[in-house]
Amino acid sequence: MNAEEKRLAEAREGRAAWKRFGPYLSERQWGAVREDYSETDDAWNAFPHDQARSRAYRHGEDGLAGVSDDRLVLCFALALWNGRDPILKERLFGLANEEGNHGEDVKEYYYYLDSTPTHSYMKYLYKYPQAAFPYEDLVRTNAARSRAEPEYELADTGIFRENRYFDVFVEYAKAAPDDLLVRITVHNRGPEAARLHLLPTLWFRNTWSWPGGGAKPEIRAMDAQGRQALLARHADPEEAARLPGHVLVCDGGYELLFTDNETNTERLFGRQNASPYVKDAFDAFLVHGRADAVNPARTGTKACAHYDLTVAPGEAAEVRLRLCASYSRLDETPFGREFEAIFARRIREADAFYADVIPATADADEARIMRQALAGMLWTKQFYSFDVDAWLRERGAHPLRGDARHCRNREWFHMKNNHIISMPDKWEYPWYAAWDLAFHAIALSLADIDFAKEQLTLMLRADYLHPNGQLPAYEWNFSDVNPPVHAWAALFLYRTEQSATGRGDLDFLKRAFTKLLLNFTWWVNRKDRFGKNVFEGGFLGLDNIGVFDRSKGLPAGGCLEQADGTAWMALFCQNMIEMSMELACDDPACEDLLHKFLEHFLWIASGMNRQGPDGMWDEEDGFYYDLLRLPDGSASRLRVRSMVGLLPLCAATILEKRQRDRVPDIMDALHARLARMPELAHSMHPLGSGHRGVADRELLSLVDEGRLRRILSRMLDENEFLSPYGIRSMSRHHRDHPYRIHVQGQEHRVAYVPGDSDSGMFGGNSNWRGPVWMPVNQLIIRALLQYYRYYGDAFVIECPTGSGVMMNLFEVSREISRRLVSLFRRGADGRRPIFGDSDMFQNDPHWRDHLLFHEFFHGDDGHGLGAAHQTGWTGLVAKLIQLYGNVDATEMLRTDGGKVFVKRE
């Protein structure tokens, strides 16, 4: 067990609070639904960026390279000023949804370079221009661009010419759980000496100004062994017991500044301030020269150490700080040799930890990709606070009080969220999304299986899960419907731990299973409108993939019978079958539930594969399509070849002989049912004697071998789905052959769009009509491995279609993985596809190895699109490198399904 693993064990067992401090600040709290108390439900305009420096937040905090305690009470982050910006740089800037030609978008460059799971070591990079930040240019130029044009980015403004910027590296190292060392290194990359005002800032989240708020804390100046330091103490006894007083000690030459984290009502609303010392005081003091803006009494709830640095060209300046809860440590030299020794030790320990995570077969570039992906996963943790009951009461929209006002999330008044949660992207999507979180957990399991399990368990708690069984989608509309992948993720984590330690966490599996029963029942009762075992669900996470907006009412009052919705439910059913089999060993009562889910899979398969013109399978095309059913009962297939029609492949699960042997009576009942109802057997992959594969395995699947081959021939066609960088979300066939349908005299059209969206559907900031998306590629790879474990080497197919190269399904899965990983790898030409045609990103040594894990990728050339820091599910690339570095085809066939991977020694 290495040093970081020991810290994880101490945290798990409650022996040391190694995770108390971490990167739990948001990177954008403004524009959030939970900060919206307006009458208009317009969160972006209710709290815009321009107000963020002056207005206290109620439910969170944001900052540059920031950390906080795990309740977001005491916060630390950087503020910067180059002497030219119109405002102090305290947070990342970006465009609100209606300001961008492709929706909201951060307009800064920052990178998560390293982190251990306990945050014993972390490293972050922010690139700060030396010229005035072009706020107005970014807003004006993006507003003038159409959806057919690319976004106007910070690099496009020319602000980085001649390398006139600072690289600001921020590193954290924990000497102990309550002793955090901070090292800030500022590099001047430009040709001339440049001045930088650096303000490491400590503050308390404002919890005292609102209804029901507690006592007001204090930060004041103190003497610490001859140094002026900051002492932060909470006046609330409960908070003080949980979080004792902390001292921030600073090294070098600086001045201390003080104010309060209170709203500047005079600036924002024209009303007199309750106190002269307000949130934006440091901006007023430094940028506007107002010496009276800061508190001369040297006390407040927000304070900073102001460093005035001049950095020579090509040189660096270093600032060191220490945030510590133990006064006794101040008797020692806080910045002596021990300071550097702790950093060196924590970096060595981080290297040792990742040496055990990254496969020995990975080359240096793959190791870099994997480590930065996991660093991004760990940096995008955020304390998320949303008391929906209190929020609705204050807005006059609470249904229990009979309030008439309608607003979003009105039916979710049971919710009270106060937890550290993995965010998709802490700027663009600083709120959790249930199906994203399932994929996050898969990637996080590589570094911290405990945190991964906590994330899945959270969504199933009574203060998240709706009483009717629905999982919350996201704060913009908790009632939206996300794909039901929670069961798959929970089972994956169980198998991961089982394969790593020899024993899975049965208690975790049982708790998840119990709550997922409620969610499964919700799906059956709410999304199978006519009881035909075919499912709706709306957009189901695939935003604009359909001909129509699938989250809204359809033309002519029709409804969609969704191929993806039904496939998701088939996979959900399979996951519950496998869970039931595992739990039945410990609890025989689960056998009854196993029987229920096996039969339910039969009904779903029969609904999915209904014969005739009103079925989803199109025999002529060899593909699945959504079905538009009109009020008169007539139906027509929407012949769009998209990810919707590939997802039925993903409902594939192996039943090992050892699993079946545990429940012989249930298996006998299943085969008896199929014998009595042969129509059921014809609607799925055959089961039973005479239909067993490698190692006597059986396969639960919606598709038989014939349909599998037909779908794969399209999926592996480079003129359709197979791009150089993975599987596209829509067939390239629709580039030259758009799909059109006329309903009630109106034409609806869908075409292949490999880059940013050309429509405003779902805010216009994501696109499922051509780009490559990591999560669904991951599910396709999982399915191919399931099929390979059944068919073995006997099943080969041309890959790519028309190439003459024959591969088994393990090789096909590995080829798709290779293409996905190549998005980030430097190719033979020295270029990384994610960076597109940017010479600076591709060739500059200060940029080219700092990776961004985008939300999705161009379907033809692979450059990154959408949210630039959605390490969340794009961090799955780390799992792919790990999987194919540790497993080969022989092991995959030989190893029992209880093993997720076999680590090569």
Side-chain angles (χ1 to χ4, degrees):
M1 185 180 289
N2 59 49
E4 179 62 14
E5 289 171 336
K6 290 177 182 177
R7 284 188 285 269
L8 283 167
E10 290 173 356
R12 179 189 318 119
E13 295 161 9
R15 291 185 284 127
W18 283 106
K19 295 181 181 179
R20 173 165 291 170
F21 276 87
Y24 307 141
L25 274 74
S26 177
E27 277 158 352
R28 178 178 61 79
Q29 185 67 14
W30 58 273
V33 166
R34 55 200 181 281
E35 298 289 347
D36 178 12
Y37 287 83
S38 71
E39 296 294 321
T40 60
D41 278 350
D42 181 358
W44 286 107
N45 289 308
F47 202 139
H49 174 267
D50 183 59
Q51 293 188 5
R53 67 184 181 275
S54 305
R55 183 173 166 187
Y57 296 124
R58 296 192 59 169
H59 298 279
E61 289 289 347
D62 53 22
L64 282 176
V67 295
S68 76
D69 69 283
D70 57 8
R71 299 288 291 177
L72 200 68
V73 173
L74 185 61
C75 308
F76 173 88
L78 300 192
L80 305 165
W81 190 51
N82 56 19
R84 296 179 174 88
D85 280 356
I87 59 173
L88 184 67
K89 177 68 70 174
E90 293 181 278
R91 58 189 48 79
L92 298 167
F93 172 72
L95 304 182
N97 181 268
E98 72 268 15
E99 292 177 319
N101 59 325
H102 297 290
E104 62 266 34
D105 187 43
V106 68
K107 298 300 182 184
E108 307 261 20
Y109 296 115
Y110 57 102
Y111 302 88
Y112 310 120
L113 298 182
D114 211 354
S115 182
T116 57
T118 64
H119 311 296
S120 58
Y121 177 72
M122 297 190 293
K123 188 174 185 179
Y124 178 106
L125 168 62
Y126 174 65
K127 291 184 176 284
Y128 185 42
Q130 294 170 3
F133 197 90
Y135 293 102
E136 292 185 8
D137 180 24
L138 288 165
V139 172
R140 184 177 59 252
T141 305
N142 276 284
R145 291 195 173 188
S146 71
R147 294 195 184 278
E149 295 175 279
E151 294 172 334
Y152 183 61
E153 304 292 3
L154 183 60
D156 299 329
T157 68
I159 202 165
F160 293 104
R161 287 194 195 101
E162 299 182 299
N163 291 330
R164 293 182 183 272
Y165 67 93
F166 298 105
D167 266 342
V168 183
F169 290 92
V170 184
E171 295 173 277
Y172 296 96
K174 293 180 181 177
D178 59 357
D179 188 2
L180 182 64
L181 283 59
V182 187
R183 182 167 65 189
I184 304 165
T185 309
V186 179
H187 292 265
N188 179 1
R189 301 300 187 195
E192 298 173 358
R195 189 180 181 188
L196 175 68
H197 297 268
L198 173 65
L199 289 75
T201 305
L202 187 70
W203 75 99
F204 283 104
R205 176 164 63 98
N206 189 327
T207 57
W208 57 89
S209 294
W210 324 114
K216 187 175 180 178
E218 178 191 41
I219 302 175
R220 63 175 176 83
M222 68 169 287
D223 181 83
Q225 297 297 310
R227 289 182 173 86
Q228 287 296 299
L230 299 174
L231 172 62
R233 292 188 299 194
H234 214 291
D236 186 294
E238 185 177 332
E239 287 293 351
R242 190 192 66 82
L243 188 70
H246 276 66
V247 177
L248 180 67
V249 190
C250 313
D251 194 25
Y254 54 89
E255 64 174 329
L256 298 180
L257 304 175
F258 296 82
T259 189
D260 277 309
N261 186 15
E262 302 269 14
T263 297
N264 185 343
T265 55
E266 184 177 325
R267 173 182 177 258
L268 298 180
F269 310 116
R271 300 196 304 267
Q272 183 176 357
N273 288 325
S275 163
Y277 310 114
V278 289
K279 181 178 177 180
D280 56 12
F282 302 155
D283 176 83
F285 174 84
L286 197 59
V287 180
H288 302 288
R290 283 188 47 212
D292 62 341
V294 297
N295 191 344
R298 292 159 63 85
T299 185
T301 50
K302 179 180 178 180
C304 72
H306 172 211
Y307 291 85
D308 188 347
L309 308 174
T310 298
V311 188
E315 299 298 324
E318 183 176 287
V319 168
R320 298 181 297 178
L321 307 99
R322 195 162 184 168
L323 182 63
C324 184
S326 175
Y327 296 155
S328 64
R329 289 200 183 94
L330 298 177
D331 296 334
E332 307 168 9
T333 305
F335 303 108
R337 283 181 293 180
E338 181 206 19
F339 186 92
E340 294 302 325
I342 290 169
F343 263 104
R345 183 161 65 249
R346 293 294 181 257
I347 291 170
R348 286 196 304 271
E349 290 167 355
D351 290 342
F353 175 78
Y354 281 109
D356 284 346
V357 172
I358 297 169
T361 54
D363 62 28
D365 207 27
E366 288 176 322
R368 177 185 294 108
I369 295 164
M370 193 169 172
R371 187 156 174 175
Q372 288 190 32
L374 291 174
M377 297 296 308
L378 295 166
W379 266 96
T380 48
K381 296 179 182 181
Q382 179 183 309
F383 177 76
Y384 184 90
S385 175
F386 196 4
D387 184 339
V388 181
D389 171 65
W391 184 75
L392 290 170
R393 289 178 188 276
E394 287 191 56
R395 302 189 81 202
H398 203 300
L400 292 185
R401 298 195 314 187
D403 294 335
R405 181 187 170 193
H406 179 79
C407 76
R408 62 166 54 93
N409 299 325
R410 180 181 160 93
E411 61 274 27
W412 290 80
F413 54 84
H414 74 286
M415 289 185 72
K416 185 173 183 179
N417 301 167
N418 281 297
H419 297 94
I420 305 296
I421 305 180
S422 175
M423 297 292 121
D425 178 317
K426 288 205 297 187
W427 193 95
E428 192 144 339
Y429 306 124
W431 31 260
Y432 64 83
W435 87 298
D436 295 55
L437 199 57
F439 292 103
H440 297 188
I442 304 304
L444 284 164
S445 69
L446 292 168
D448 189 351
I449 189 75
D450 298 321
F451 183 68
K453 289 190 294 185
E454 286 170 15
Q455 297 303 286
L456 295 185
T457 303
L458 269 182
M459 294 298 110
L460 299 174
R461 287 172 48 132
D463 43 4
Y464 287 77
L465 187 73
H466 196 280
N468 66 19
Q470 184 180 6
L471 283 166
Y474 40 72
E475 67 176 31
W476 290 91
N477 184 3
F478 286 127
S479 293
D480 263 350
V481 183
N482 279 180
V485 289
H486 227 71
W488 164 70
L491 187 61
F492 189 100
L493 296 189
Y494 175 81
R495 295 296 191 205
T496 296
E497 201 163 19
Q498 187 179 53
S499 66
T501 67
R503 181 177 177 80
D505 186 343
L506 207 60
D507 183 61
F508 162 73
L509 192 69
K510 187 179 298 184
R511 287 174 179 271
F513 180 78
T514 302
K515 293 296 185 72
L516 288 166
L517 285 172
L518 300 176
N519 186 236
F520 188 91
T521 303
W522 177 86
W523 270 91
V524 170
N525 290 338
R526 296 294 185 94
K527 295 302 170 183
D528 179 11
R529 186 185 304 212
F530 301 111
K532 298 192 300 183
N533 300 294
V534 292
F535 292 85
E536 300 171 52
F539 83 111
L540 283 176
L542 307 187
D543 293 10
N544 65 340
I545 202 166
V547 183
F548 317 112
D549 184 340
R550 302 194 305 171
S551 68
K552 296 181 179 178
L554 300 178
C559 68
L560 274 186
E561 296 178 2
Q562 295 180 220
D564 55 336
T566 308
W568 288 123
M569 280 302 289
L571 178 60
F572 191 179
C573 206
Q574 291 173 359
N575 301 145
M576 298 299 276
I577 288 167
E578 200 170 352
M579 284 185 177
S580 303
M581 284 183 156
E582 197 72 22
L583 294 172
C585 299
D586 184 64
D587 182 359
C590 288
E591 290 189 15
D592 292 336
L593 291 169
L594 169 61
H595 194 175
K596 165 209 163 37
F597 284 114
L598 280 167
E599 293 224 333
H600 216 121
F601 176 74
L602 301 183
W603 313 137
I604 294 172
S606 67
M608 181 96 207
N609 290 314
R610 187 171 58 246
Q611 300 294 314
D614 64 345
M616 296 178 185
W617 173 256
D618 189 297
E619 184 62 29
E620 181 180 350
D621 288 359
F623 206 73
Y624 285 99
Y625 298 114
D626 281 346
L627 205 66
L628 175 62
R629 189 166 297 279
L630 298 176
D632 63 4
S634 64
S636 59
R637 297 187 188 111
L638 302 178
R639 285 185 167 82
V640 180
R641 295 209 283 272
S642 73
M643 186 59 65
V644 165
L646 295 181
L647 285 171
L649 286 180
C650 297
T653 296
I654 288 291
L655 298 182
E656 299 281 357
K657 183 178 185 301
R658 65 165 178 83
Q659 293 174 304
R660 304 193 310 272
D661 287 348
R662 290 174 182 170
V663 288
D665 292 344
I666 301 298
M667 297 309 297
D668 287 345
L670 172 67
H671 294 305
R673 170 75 74 183
L674 291 172
R676 288 198 310 275
M677 300 180 178
E679 297 86 355
L680 294 176
H682 296 153
S683 65
M684 55 186 283
H685 190 282
L687 292 171
S689 178
H691 300 291
R692 290 179 182 145
V694 173
D696 208 28
R697 292 173 180 132
E698 291 195 38
L699 176 66
L700 286 178
S701 172
L702 292 174
V703 299
D704 59 18
E705 182 177 350
R707 288 188 180 181
L708 177 61
R709 288 187 177 279
R710 295 190 70 186
I711 297 170
L712 287 179
S713 69
R714 289 200 184 279
M715 189 182 85
L716 301 177
D717 187 337
E718 292 180 314
N719 293 314
E720 291 223 28
F721 287 98
L722 184 61
S723 88
Y725 307 105
I727 304 300
R728 300 177 176 107
S729 50
M730 185 171 287
S731 171
R732 200 164 182 257
H733 167 82
H734 293 301
R735 182 189 65 176
D736 301 321
H737 305 91
Y739 176 76
R740 293 179 172 88
I741 183 172
H742 290 82
V743 180
Q744 293 186 324
Q746 182 177 355
E747 181 182 87
H748 299 267
R749 177 181 181 275
V750 134
Y752 174 71
V753 180
D756 278 313
S757 174
D758 61 359
S759 84
M761 199 183 295
F762 285 91
N765 58 344
S766 69
N767 182 25
W768 284 84
R769 294 182 176 180
V772 172
W773 290 76
M774 191 68 70
V776 285
N777 271 263
Q778 185 88 6
L779 286 172
I780 288 169
I781 287 170
R782 172 212 170 263
L784 291 170
L785 294 175
Q786 295 289 308
Y787 291 120
Y788 177 69
R789 288 171 57 75
Y790 176 81
Y791 289 111
D793 295 326
F795 186 114
V796 294
I797 195 162
E798 206 172 23
C799 180
T801 300
S803 68
V805 176
M806 305 302 291
M807 295 185 184
N808 64 39
L809 294 181
F810 180 89
E811 292 166 335
V812 172
S813 74
R814 186 173 57 194
E815 173 62 13
I816 295 171
S817 173
R818 182 194 67 76
R819 292 179 182 227
L820 291 165
V821 174
S822 74
L823 283 162
F824 307 93
R825 282 184 65 97
R826 190 181 297 155
D829 59 358
R831 301 172 71 82
R832 301 184 192 274
I834 55 167
F835 291 148
D837 59 3
S838 169
D839 183 69
M840 182 176 72
F841 285 113
Q842 295 286 10
N843 299 313
D844 190 310
H846 300 306
W847 295 80
R848 66 187 183 194
D849 289 332
H850 301 320
L851 306 179
L852 293 174
F853 296 86
H854 287 264
E855 185 180 4
F856 55 97
F857 303 89
H858 194 282
D860 294 336
D861 65 35
H863 77 262
L865 297 164
H869 295 77
Q870 190 151 343
T871 320
W873 60 26
T874 302
L876 287 166
V877 68
K879 183 63 188 173
L880 295 178
I881 295 170
Q882 184 258 5
L883 175 64
Y884 289 97
N886 286 333
V887 175
D888 62 23
T890 302
E891 288 168 325
M892 181 62 67
L893 279 186
R894 186 181 65 238
T895 305
D896 185 273
K899 294 281 188 180
V900 175
F901 63 88
V902 179
K903 179 154 184 175
R904 289 179 179 161
E905 300 298 334

